[in-house]
Amino acid sequence: MELGAFLRLTVIAVMLTAAASQTTPTGYANHTVGGSAGWFFNSTTNTSAANYSSWAATQTFNLGDFLIFNTNSNQTVIQTYNESTFRSCTTDDALNNDTIQYGGGSTAFGEALTIPVPLTIKGPNYFFSDAEDGAQCQSGLAFEIQVNHGLGLPPSLNQPPPPPYVTPPGPDFSQTPPVTIAGGSQAPGNSGFKNGVNVRGVACALLFGVAFLCFRH
């Protein structure tokens, strides 16, 4: 085989391999962090249960996928888009819009937790545990991933933020407002008319008319 033909075949093979590696996924995936080892740290040996960077290197992450952390309340799950926060192994200087701490709200020690984390932002995503003043992160309980576009976010993760909270009206809000009578002012009940017809004057006029008719007959 000529050298030119061999080189062309080699280039075609490389291109096909690259195209296959970039195939659009057909659905969304759940990635169990660390596989069967879970997300754990042994404080006695000062080691993490797995090499999480090596685990992440075997996965392909896309928008809409979930990371599943099988862990317990002895570890934390911090997601950040800030590399400086990740490298520092602490959230002390983290911003509200670039770092999230997940947890089940447990205050018990060693309580089993399963924490799902959606991947909603494309690009670098960093994860670590800041428990034990960052010692867990410094000893391997940390990893970074690259999130691809894939199918994009599903509708369930691509909703606009909820409207701002509005304080509901107080208990007096539902009461019927006072009635405004035409030609007069707001007046509850039958307290009379203001700038309107004089009821006493009308009654007197009617009585006078009746008396006049009787007198004529």
Side-chain angles (χ1 to χ4, degrees):
M1 180 183 296
E2 295 182 358
L3 180 60
F6 176 77
L7 290 176
R8 284 195 296 272
L9 290 175
T10 301
V11 170
I12 292 173
V14 171
M15 293 177 64
L16 290 175
T17 301
S21 65
Q22 297 176 2
T23 301
T24 302
T26 57
Y28 301 99
N30 291 335
H31 307 270
T32 302
V33 176
S36 59
W39 180 250
F40 291 98
F41 186 80
N42 189 323
S43 298
T44 302
T45 60
N46 205 36
T47 57
S48 58
N51 186 323
Y52 297 99
S53 295
S54 297
W55 168 83
T58 66
Q59 309 289 309
T60 299
F61 303 98
N62 296 301
L63 289 175
D65 288 357
F66 274 79
L67 300 188
I68 308 299
F69 289 81
N70 291 323
T71 184
N72 63 32
S73 54
N74 299 355
Q75 293 76 218
T76 64
V77 176
I78 308 294
Q79 179 186 27
T80 184
Y81 310 107
N82 188 323
E83 185 177 1
S84 297
T85 297
F86 174 66
R87 301 298 176 194
S88 69
C89 286
T90 179
T91 59
D92 289 348
D93 297 323
L95 302 177
N96 291 333
N97 62 353
D98 66 14
T99 302
I100 306 169
Q101 178 167 348
Y102 293 89
S106 173
T107 57
F109 188 77
E111 181 178 344
L113 299 172
T114 297
I115 302 174
V117 177
L119 301 179
T120 60
I121 294 183
K122 187 169 65 173
N125 284 232
Y126 306 94
F127 299 87
F128 66 96
S129 170
D130 68 344
E132 301 183 29
D133 295 325
Q136 293 186 359
C137 169
Q138 295 165 5
S139 297
L141 204 58
F143 64 97
E144 59 183 283
I145 64 175
Q146 184 72 26
V147 178
N148 305 309
H149 184 270
L151 297 174
L153 289 175
S156 59
L157 295 176
N158 195 24
Q159 299 297 320
Y165 176 77
V166 177
T167 304
D172 295 334
F173 181 79
S174 60
Q175 293 183 356
T176 304
V179 178
T180 301
I181 301 173
S185 63
Q186 294 180 348
N190 295 319
S191 60
F193 296 85
K194 183 178 181 181
N195 299 326
V197 180
N198 189 313
V199 176
R200 182 177 296 177
V202 172
C204 291
L206 290 174
L207 290 174
F208 179 79
V210 171
F212 177 76
L213 290 174
C214 292
F215 178 77
R216 291 187 60 184
H217 290 285

